[in-house]
Amino acid sequence: MIRFRRPLRCLWDFFRKELAEVLIPQKKIKDRVATLGAAISEDYAGKDLVIVCVLSGAFMFLADLVRHIYVHHEIYFMAASSYGDSTKSSGVVRLLLDLEANIEGRDVLIVEDIVDTGRTLDYIIRILKARNPASLRVCVLLDKRERREVDVPLGYVGFEIADRFVIGYGLDLAERYRNLPFVAVSKEESSD
Ligand code: PRP
């Protein structure tokens, strides 16, 4: 029989030279995501929820979060981009993929990985509000509050973090590192 090495060990061995530190370990994310899912389930009890995942960064958070949501819901995707391949926001948000659903009169929850300047969420909230949902809230995993330029209302927040360039758990640096099961700081942070 083929013997496999422990998966997380292999992943860590592969990436460790590129990471400055693990900021939020896997277990802490897992516990917090479960708590968020339970809170959402209680708040939307008896309702039929529409979840809008903002690609690409929120894909992993969404996948874990919905496993803890025990109200009926539909899942749709939107894609917006503001960063390009840089570690700093370009400040210009582009809609890359629109929602394939009519949200008029529906309870909508936006799931996002991180709020930095707030421009992406502000843009998406404005688009969705114009479609007259019954309610619109945001669930975000990471809140980089000190970087905020546009005020955005956050219904559910996983973690408030300092102004560091974070990768992993869906977040990328030039499209890499999204697969890391934890949130880390890249060694490249200091080079921007
Ligand atoms: C990231 C992140 C948020 C946004 C937050 O997306 O996923 O959507 O930036 O930054 P802001 O608050 O300053 O607008 P990005 O544009 O990098 O695209 P991605 O999700 O595909 O990585």
Side-chain angles (χ1 to χ4, degrees):
M1 197 174 82
I2 302 169
R3 285 179 63 98
F4 293 99
R5 293 173 64 203
R6 287 178 55 212
L8 192 57
R9 184 79 248 165
C10 298
L11 185 129
W12 180 248
D13 286 347
F14 185 83
F15 286 109
R16 68 196 302 173
K17 289 192 186 70
E18 296 157 45
L19 305 179
E21 65 176 288
V22 173
L23 198 64
I24 311 176
Q26 202 172 355
K27 172 78 170 73
K28 215 169 158 186
I29 296 174
K30 197 175 167 210
D31 291 349
R32 187 66 186 142
V33 170
T35 302
L36 289 173
I40 291 165
S41 305
E42 283 176 21
D43 292 350
Y44 289 93
K47 295 194 169 162
D48 201 358
L49 186 60
V50 174
I51 293 180
V52 176
C53 171
V54 184
L55 294 172
S56 302
F59 81 95
M60 197 176 282
F61 178 39
L62 173 92
D64 286 343
L65 182 69
V66 293
R67 282 178 251 203
H68 294 281
I69 294 182
Y70 43 90
V71 292
H72 287 301
H73 59 275
E74 299 160 32
I75 301 170
Y76 300 101
F77 297 90
M78 282 181 92
S81 187
S82 67
Y83 273 68
D85 278 357
S86 156
T87 56
K88 291 284 178 216
S89 172
S90 67
V92 180
V93 183
R94 286 182 305 141
L95 186 64
L96 305 178
L97 174 74
D98 201 355
L99 206 55
E100 281 183 39
N102 180 1
I103 59 163
E104 189 171 350
R106 307 288 307 274
D107 292 299
V108 177
L109 180 68
I110 300 170
V111 173
E112 177 62 297
D113 56 342
I114 187 166
V115 197
D116 189 327
T117 65
R119 291 187 186 283
T120 306
L121 259 180
D122 178 62
Y123 178 77
I124 285 172
I125 287 171
R126 277 189 285 119
I127 290 175
L128 296 185
K129 259 194 181 161
R131 299 175 187 178
N132 300 316
S135 69
L136 184 62
R137 275 194 194 158
V138 175
C139 175
V140 65
L141 181 71
L142 305 173
D143 179 7
K144 216 189 260 188
R145 191 158 297 221
E146 64 188 86
R147 290 258 309 154
R148 201 77 88 251
E149 293 172 12
V150 184
D151 189 34
V152 279
L154 303 178
Y156 307 90
V157 176
F159 304 93
E160 198 174 313
I161 60 167
D163 183 15
R164 312 205 51 194
F165 191 84
V166 286
I167 55 172
Y169 202 69
L171 290 101
D172 72 309
L173 173 58
E175 296 304 325
R176 289 183 170 178
Y177 306 107
R178 293 193 196 272
N179 63 310
L180 299 178
F182 43 75
V183 174
V185 178
S186 160
K187 280 194 178 152
E188 278 199 36
E189 179 188 53
S190 53
S191 65
D192 58 87

